[in-house]
Amino acid sequence: MSAAEPAPATRQEAALPAAAWTPKRLWRQLPFFVWLVALWMLLWGQFTPLSLVTGIVAAVFVAAVFRLPPVELSGRVNLWWGLVFVLEFLVALVVGSLTVAWQALAWWQQPGAAVIAVRLRTDDDLIMTHTAVTASLIPGSLIVDVDRGRRVLYLHVIGVRSDADLAGQRRSVLHWEERIVRAVGSRAQLDKLRADPAAPAAGGAR
């Protein structure tokens, strides 16, 4: 066998599809499908059997038709921190809705708005996506751009009138990143988060 010719084992591995859906891979992707279904229900604002079924159909359709590369999950799920994330998220939804409603009714003062940049501490596509979606779902903030290479999220936020308000918005985004890492992040990501509890701001308001 010449040096240029690949070994039989190598050829066999290359012949396997990159996204082969083995039982082990299906088990590792299960939390991702659960998250997609939950995200679908949150976007529709309905927690009904119909939204559950349509969410499952949408998740399967996206994975089967668009042939996206498989998302490699950490394999770690902390149910306690997952529950903490869900409860805090629901509280933030209510508080955010009431705050935006008050800002709309308070015609005698401008709520103030800005575009801020927040550099995340975790270099992971899935964690970044979850953090961005969570921040966008809470009334009062919306993701407008993402710099994947620098791990920076750009958000349009309302209700900011001072540097302290801007710093509070950045802390809020980093807080959601922390909660998500504690719930579904790897142990390496969790250790990095503990070693770097506060990330520097990526930039000022625009």
Side-chain angles (χ1 to χ4, degrees):
M1 180 181 297
S2 64
E5 183 180 356
T10 303
R11 288 198 301 265
Q12 183 178 3
E13 291 174 359
L16 290 174
W21 289 100
T22 63
K24 181 179 179 180
R25 183 177 294 275
L26 285 173
W27 174 253
R28 288 179 61 87
Q29 295 297 311
L30 182 60
F32 178 65
F33 278 97
V34 172
W35 173 259
L36 284 179
V37 175
L39 180 60
W40 175 271
M41 299 173 74
L42 287 172
L43 290 175
W44 282 101
Q46 297 179 354
F47 296 90
T48 62
L50 179 59
S51 63
L52 174 63
V53 173
T54 54
I56 294 174
V57 172
V60 173
F61 178 81
V62 168
V65 174
F66 289 95
R67 295 290 183 180
L68 298 175
V71 178
E72 294 297 333
L73 302 180
S74 65
R76 172 185 168 276
V77 177
N78 189 303
L79 297 180
W80 166 252
W81 285 110
L83 177 62
V84 170
F85 168 80
V86 171
L87 294 178
E88 287 191 356
F89 177 74
L90 293 177
V91 172
L93 281 180
V94 175
V95 173
S97 299
L98 295 176
T99 301
V100 172
W102 171 252
Q103 291 169 346
L105 294 174
W107 52 268
W108 59 88
Q109 62 180 359
Q110 294 294 328
V115 175
I116 63 173
V118 183
R119 180 176 289 116
L120 302 182
R121 294 155 292 183
T122 308
D123 188 11
D124 183 87
D125 291 337
L126 198 59
I127 298 297
M128 177 177 283
T129 301
H130 289 348
T131 305
V133 170
T134 302
S136 287
L137 288 175
I138 298 174
S141 62
L142 181 67
I143 294 290
V144 295
D145 197 7
V146 175
D147 187 339
R148 175 63 186 89
R150 298 172 57 216
R151 309 192 312 273
V152 176
L153 300 180
Y154 294 93
L155 302 93
H156 179 272
V157 295
I158 60 176
V160 290
R161 299 186 182 89
S162 64
D163 291 341
D165 293 336
L166 295 174
Q169 292 287 348
R170 291 193 181 94
R171 285 195 302 268
S172 176
V173 176
L174 295 177
H175 174 79
W176 293 120
E177 179 197 17
E178 176 195 355
R179 288 293 184 254
I180 293 169
V181 169
R182 289 185 180 276
V184 297
S186 66
R187 297 207 174 272
Q189 293 168 348
L190 185 57
D191 291 340
K192 183 177 181 180
L193 204 67
R194 288 168 176 168
D196 185 19
R206 298 180 182 176

